[in-house]
Amino acid sequence: MAILEVKNIEKHFGKTEVLKNISFSLEKGEVLAIIGSSGSGKTTLLRCLNFLEIASSGSIEVNGETVFGKDIKLTDNIMRKNRLHFGMVFQNFNLFPQYTAFENITLAPKLALKNGAETAKKSVEEIEKFGEELLKTVGLFDKRDFYPCQLSGGQQQRVAIARALAMQPDILCFDEPTSALDPELTGEVLRVIKELKGSDRTMIVVTHEMNFARGVADKVIFMADGVVEEIGTPEEVFSNPKSEKTKAFLAKSLENI
Amino acid sequence: MNTFFEYFPTVFQALNEGFLQTLKIFIVTLLGALPLGLIISFGSMSKFKPLFAVTKTFVWIIRGTPLMLQLLIIYYGPGIILQENVWGQGETGRFIATIVAFIINYSCYFSEIYRGGIQGVPHGQQEAGQVLGLSKSQIFFKITLLQMIKRIVPPMSNEIITLVKDTSLARIIAFQEVIWAGEAFLKASNGVPSAIWPLFFTGIYYLLFSGILTILFGLIEKKLSYFRS
């Protein structure tokens, strides 16, 4: 059974249609790269999965459970619970500036524990131990007590990845995770994402890094004007694109290199 | 020179009494205007158009006219319109009218500072809290509040130091604050020029008080300087 099943998602902002009939599915452990030019709807799609935007219609299933659809009444509580299936790493990191790296990672799990949420870890010690493990995973254990303003952009983004992992989401989403970084810092972030793939994580990465999409993804979606223009393995999409729009986009992207 | 040392204890005592009244205006205004300003700031950020329009107009009128004029209108206005003294007799009445005018005036200025602080926190902070499953109140208290406070401390300290000096405007309705107390010696002197020094001396009170506040706000800023937002 697919871990994620997205069916016929539509999204309008007023009269503007941003997403048109988006459907795809993802198996556990798969990495999906979403590529396409700015304004094609990639980020909006990701935001719909995380409930930062509410899709206008369609349905989203995680592990067979419908988390969004016309029969689901999205109260604040249900939304809070359902969005935890997804983790989110933002383009601008959005770390909490007044907390250290370690506190950024452990804040949400501790609050969940306090609220008695069922997904929560069982004790503060367990949360802190897991937090330290995550810092090691992203290679920043020595920066445990640093504040975000004391970290480089690449380090901040790695903390943000650890923070998203701390809530143990089924699917981890990345919204252009390297777009706000200096070129020499993108490598360390992409390396961390690549390593996560090795640990059997299901991930969706919206990216402009074509080499990364080609090298790491199991599945690639090319979006244009709010529709899935092309979907397939990296070989199919990059080496043998069927759609004219995909061909034009790839030609332009490669031109820049 | 002899007369200076002779009069000093009398003057000092009178000015101290006046300054106590100045302090009273200062403290009561802060106690009223700090929370009221927050409420007004919510009005000026409201998506409900009529509330938004009313609040914005009110803030415009209050910020767009002199506090001295507002003080006069609030003190004398009701008496002229209702033919009745709503503020009560004597010094108490003048005090109540003064703080009503000051609280209204300062809450409008504070509301704009709060609005800047609230809207200045990047929206991404809230979204980051949301995707981690935090509730609205957790997001406010655990994430945005401290960032807001950090943003409003510098403009707030500026405004509060202005308030220290604005308290002297209460003199216009004869409230007996420190300027009034200093001036009283001049009035009683029958035109002896040297009798003006108690009025000048009041400046020391303002300087010391605003100096203490400056140090205090400096400490708060330093305390919050461990992070950048």
Side-chain angles (χ1 to χ4, degrees), chain A residues 47 80 83 95 98-99, chain B residues 125 127 130 133 142-143:
Chain A
R47 290 171 63 83
R80 270 174 70 195
R83 66 159 44 115
L95 289 180
Q98 71 268 46
Y99 295 118
Chain B
Q125 290 290 306
E127 291 190 343
Q130 281 176 322
K142 299 283 178 186
I143 297 172

Side-chain angles (χ1 to χ4, degrees), chain A residues 47 50 52 76 80 83-84 86 88 90 94-99 107-108 111 114-115 147 149 163 167, chain B residues 123-125 127-136 138 141-144 146-147 226-229:
Chain A
R47 290 171 63 83
N50 282 282
L52 290 174
D76 264 11
R80 270 174 70 195
R83 66 159 44 115
L84 285 178
F86 298 91
M88 179 75 158
F90 297 91
N94 293 344
L95 289 180
F96 307 131
Q98 71 268 46
Y99 295 118
L107 176 74
L111 289 174
K114 219 161 103 188
N115 290 350
Y147 288 95
C149 63
R163 179 177 69 174
M167 293 304 283
Chain B
H123 191 56
Q125 290 290 306
E127 291 190 343
Q130 281 176 322
V131 296
L132 291 167
L134 270 54
S135 68
K136 282 191 179 120
Q138 285 171 337
F141 286 109
K142 299 283 178 186
I143 297 172
T144 44
L146 194 64
Q147 297 182 45
Y226 70 92
F227 73 90
R228 272 205 302 272
S229 63

Side-chain angles (χ1 to χ4, degrees), chain A residues 9-25:
Chain A
I9 288 287
E10 308 254 344
K11 174 70 186 171
H12 329 276
F13 290 115
K15 279 186 183 144
T16 323
E17 274 194 305
V18 188
L19 296 177
K20 298 166 206 161
N21 204 20
I22 306 278
S23 300
F24 66 90
S25 71

Side-chain angles (χ1 to χ4, degrees), chain B residues 30-217:
Chain B
L30 280 189
L31 288 179
L34 285 172
L36 186 60
L38 191 60
I39 294 169
I40 295 176
S41 77
F42 290 140
S44 65
M45 289 184 290
S46 173
K47 290 196 178 83
F48 181 57
K49 283 272 161 59
L51 179 62
F52 172 82
V54 168
T55 317
K56 281 287 187 191
T57 311
F58 183 69
V59 172
W60 170 60
I61 291 170
I62 296 298
R63 293 204 310 167
T65 55
L67 175 52
M68 187 191 276
L69 188 60
Q70 293 163 17
L71 201 53
L72 289 169
I73 291 172
I74 284 174
Y75 186 55
Y76 294 112
I80 292 165
I81 297 162
L82 306 170
Q83 303 292 323
E84 196 184 337
N85 181 1
V86 298
W87 302 118
Q89 288 303 314
E91 196 63 1
T92 317
R94 286 192 282 271
F95 178 69
I96 294 171
T98 301
I99 59 153
V100 168
F102 271 73
I103 288 174
I104 291 175
N105 185 274
Y106 270 82
S107 57
C108 285
Y109 280 97
F110 289 166
S111 77
E112 287 297 286
I113 295 176
Y114 284 129
R115 192 171 64 86
I118 293 169
Q119 293 180 338
V121 176
H123 191 56
Q125 290 290 306
Q126 196 183 322
E127 291 190 343
Q130 281 176 322
V131 296
L132 291 167
L134 270 54
S135 68
K136 282 191 179 120
S137 75
Q138 285 171 337
I139 290 172
F140 180 75
F141 286 109
K142 299 283 178 186
I143 297 172
T144 44
L145 182 61
L146 194 64
Q147 297 182 45
M148 251 179 67
I149 291 173
K150 187 182 166 82
R151 268 161 213 274
I152 67 174
V153 168
M156 214 34 132
S157 66
N158 207 19
E159 206 56 47
I160 287 173
I161 284 169
T162 304
L163 171 61
V164 172
K165 294 162 294 166
D166 271 0
T167 52
S168 63
L169 290 170
R171 166 72 192 85
I172 201 69
I173 59 168
F175 182 67
Q176 299 173 8
E177 42 68 72
V178 68
I179 293 272
W180 183 93
E183 222 183 340
F185 288 95
L186 183 61
K187 284 187 170 163
S189 72
N190 291 321
V192 181
S194 61
I196 203 167
W197 74 265
L199 182 56
F200 290 176
F201 192 77
T202 58
I204 306 284
Y205 285 82
Y206 291 107
L207 267 182
L208 284 179
F209 190 38
S210 54
I212 291 167
L213 289 174
T214 305
I215 292 169
L216 205 74
F217 282 116

Side-chain angles (χ1 to χ4, degrees), chain A residues 12-225:
Chain A
H12 329 276
F13 290 115
K15 279 186 183 144
T16 323
E17 274 194 305
V18 188
L19 296 177
K20 298 166 206 161
N21 204 20
I22 306 278
S23 300
F24 66 90
S25 71
L26 209 55
E27 299 296 324
K28 188 169 165 44
E30 268 188 330
V31 175
L32 166 68
I34 305 180
I35 58 172
S37 43
S38 303
S40 59
K42 315 180 296 282
T43 293
T44 306
L45 173 59
L46 215 54
R47 290 171 63 83
C48 284
L49 296 179
N50 282 282
F51 297 94
L52 290 174
E53 307 286 353
I54 307 299
S56 308
S57 62
S59 71
I60 301 168
E61 287 172 30
V62 178
N63 286 324
E65 177 201 345
T66 306
V67 296
F68 176 80
K70 64 178 191 302
D71 298 327
I72 303 275
K73 198 175 173 312
L74 279 180
T75 62
D76 264 11
N77 276 336
I78 290 177
M79 203 148 71
R80 270 174 70 195
K81 186 170 155 282
N82 286 357
R83 66 159 44 115
L84 285 178
H85 289 291
F86 298 91
M88 179 75 158
V89 174
F90 297 91
Q91 186 176 348
N92 296 315
F93 335 132
N94 293 344
L95 289 180
F96 307 131
Q98 71 268 46
Y99 295 118
T100 62
F102 182 67
E103 288 166 342
N104 261 281
I105 294 166
T106 53
L107 176 74
K110 281 181 181 171
L111 289 174
L113 176 69
K114 219 161 103 188
N115 290 350
E118 49 190 300
T119 47
K121 292 239 171 223
K122 298 295 169 280
S123 70
V124 172
E125 293 74 42
E126 211 179 317
I127 289 169
E128 295 192 335
K129 197 167 153 266
F130 187 49
E132 290 184 342
E133 274 169 35
L134 287 171
L135 272 172
K136 285 175 193 155
T137 308
V138 297
L140 289 173
F141 188 65
D142 58 328
K143 300 280 191 273
R144 184 187 189 278
D145 298 321
F146 282 49
Y147 288 95
C149 63
Q150 298 169 303
L151 300 172
S152 73
Q155 290 169 336
Q156 288 189 51
Q157 192 60 299
R158 282 146 68 195
V159 173
I161 292 170
R163 179 177 69 174
L165 289 170
M167 293 304 283
Q168 298 180 289
D170 297 307
I171 299 149
L172 187 54
C173 303
F174 296 82
D175 183 15
E176 301 187 23
T178 58
S179 293
L181 296 175
D182 291 337
E184 74 269 24
L185 300 177
T186 58
E188 57 184 273
V189 172
L190 295 179
R191 207 171 310 125
V192 166
I193 301 175
K194 212 165 161 179
E195 279 163 19
L196 289 175
K197 177 184 161 77
S199 61
D200 209 26
R201 251 180 201 288
T202 316
M203 296 189 278
I204 302 177
V205 189
V206 167
T207 185
H208 290 295
E209 302 278 340
M210 293 305 143
N211 288 330
F212 174 78
R214 191 171 193 156
V216 178
D218 302 295
K219 199 181 253 181
V220 175
I221 285 179
F222 170 67
M223 281 183 73
D225 304 319

